Amino acid sequence: MMTPEIQIRHGGDLTQAAALFPDAPGPWVDLSTGINPWPYPLPPIPPVAWTGLPTRGDLRALLAAAALAYGAPGPDSLVAAPGSELLIQTLPRLRAAGEVAIVGPTYGDHARAWAAAGHAVRTVTAPEDAVDAADVVVLCNPNNPDGRAWEVGDLLDRAARLAARGGWLVVDEAYADLDPTRSLCLHAGAPGLVILRSFGKFFGLGGVRLGFVLAPPALLDAVRLALGSWAVSGPALAVGAMALADLGWQATMRRRLSAAAEALDNVLRAGGLRVIGGTALYRLVDAGDAAALWRHLAQAGLWTRPFPEHAGCQAWLRLGLAADVGALDRLAAALAAI
């Protein structure tokens, strides 16, 4: 069982890994996130992006590229932010305290953010369990970490029912780049529908800190006011606009990620693990005793993501994609050594 001092709130912190397991062989292999290990190649960034204030033209170019990539109605249907995480923290403060249902188990910061803003938060297993009672229903589509997904038509129906009572359906599409057919962005602006998109995961550029919200116009105005002027940095505007406009790279990357997820599945199954869900950027396994497997892998220099914070999920372990064959071989060897 994990002790409180080694609870893991987010993946990706190899300084924590090294501190907890100083004798692990290096270099560390980070399998703890759902971030693409093959990032979009960074373009040359104009010096003015660093030295000057971001312009309206820069922002407009980013929003136009995002609307194109996401299938949204147009650049006016989105607001850009320095990461979808900030939007997760901002939305709960833009409406009066009420009843919020989180479809879980899922990304934990949603519940934390709504509770911190004074809302009464509960977890439900499906949106239909709360759509007629809660003021806000929050879900991830596809879900993190199990990859559950909901049909577009069903979610639009839930959003309409919530909107009829002044409520919101908040859909976190952090991993929707992997299967755009499941995205609700085409319907951005529909009453009661709030969509979050993350740039860093699919494009492998988490450090850029870029995200988007798509929502009815009045809520977008409120988000702009909350974020203030120049919410997104000049370098992030430049990188984001170029990457989001590169539809060819995106299509090729989807195929590469799908193949990599299949290769990871083969290693996990050969190691005696049961793959129970995930997306093309991460796989979820039933490890039986996830804490023991997490520790074993960490002692081998492999950092993964357990979920001790979710009741009933102590058997779950999430593994992201290995960046190269050597990392995948290290995982295979560690599993074989159990």
Side-chain angles (χ1 to χ4, degrees):
M1 184 173 180
M2 293 188 184
T3 56
E5 65 271 15
I6 57 173
Q7 297 289 314
I8 300 174
R9 181 165 169 174
H10 298 289
D13 190 350
L14 293 183
T15 58
Q16 182 186 26
L20 290 172
F21 298 93
D23 298 326
W28 278 91
V29 173
D30 188 7
L31 305 175
S32 67
T33 76
I35 296 176
N36 184 353
W38 303 291
Y40 186 81
L42 286 172
I45 298 175
V48 70
W50 299 99
T51 61
L53 290 173
T55 69
R56 292 183 181 180
D58 296 333
L59 178 58
R60 192 74 177 177
L62 172 70
L63 296 177
L68 175 68
Y70 298 152
D76 292 332
S77 61
L78 309 92
V79 168
S84 58
E85 178 65 25
L86 181 59
L87 294 168
I88 290 172
Q89 305 300 320
T90 300
L91 286 175
R93 292 169 171 78
L94 299 181
R95 63 178 295 139
E99 301 289 326
V100 177
I102 310 289
V103 180
T106 193
Y107 182 60
D109 279 7
H110 286 291
R112 284 187 284 266
W114 286 94
H119 300 266
V121 177
R122 63 188 176 100
T123 300
V124 297
T125 58
E128 53 266 29
D129 295 340
V131 72
D132 293 320
D135 300 300
V136 177
V137 176
V138 182
L139 59 85
C140 295
N141 192 43
N143 189 47
N144 176 15
D146 60 15
R148 283 188 298 163
W150 287 266
E151 295 299 325
V152 168
D154 292 341
L155 293 179
L156 290 174
D157 172 72
R158 306 305 188 265
R161 286 161 60 184
L162 282 158
R165 299 186 290 102
W168 295 348
L169 176 67
V170 179
V171 182
D172 185 342
E173 291 191 348
Y175 293 98
D177 302 81
L178 302 167
D179 183 2
T181 64
R182 291 195 174 275
S183 174
L184 291 165
C185 287
L186 175 65
H187 307 279
L193 179 61
V194 183
I195 306 165
L196 301 176
R197 294 294 297 237
S198 171
F199 172 80
K201 295 177 178 64
F202 176 69
F203 288 95
L205 297 171
V208 169
R209 307 312 306 140
L210 181 62
F212 301 89
V213 59
L214 302 89
L219 179 53
L220 292 183
D221 288 341
V223 172
R224 289 188 191 98
L225 183 62
L227 295 178
S229 303
W230 310 297
V232 178
S233 72
L237 291 172
V239 172
M242 182 167 289
L244 286 162
D246 194 342
L247 301 184
W249 183 92
Q250 294 166 44
T252 299
M253 183 52 65
R254 289 187 187 100
R255 292 191 291 270
R256 181 176 187 178
L257 293 174
S258 179
E262 184 176 354
L264 177 58
D265 282 350
N266 291 337
V267 169
L268 295 172
R269 289 172 179 142
L273 298 176
R274 185 165 65 94
V275 179
I276 59 173
T279 70
L281 277 172
Y282 57 82
R283 311 305 286 161
L284 185 70
V285 300
D286 183 341
D289 184 349
L293 179 58
W294 169 80
R295 184 176 295 277
H296 170 79
L297 293 176
Q299 289 168 340
L302 299 153
W303 196 231
T304 59
R305 177 67 164 94
F307 296 91
E309 70 272 23
H310 293 314
C313 300
Q314 280 71 34
W316 287 8
L317 196 70
R318 191 190 69 195
L319 298 93
L321 301 182
D324 52 48
V325 173
L328 205 57
D329 288 345
R330 283 182 63 184
L331 174 61
L335 293 175
I338 294 176

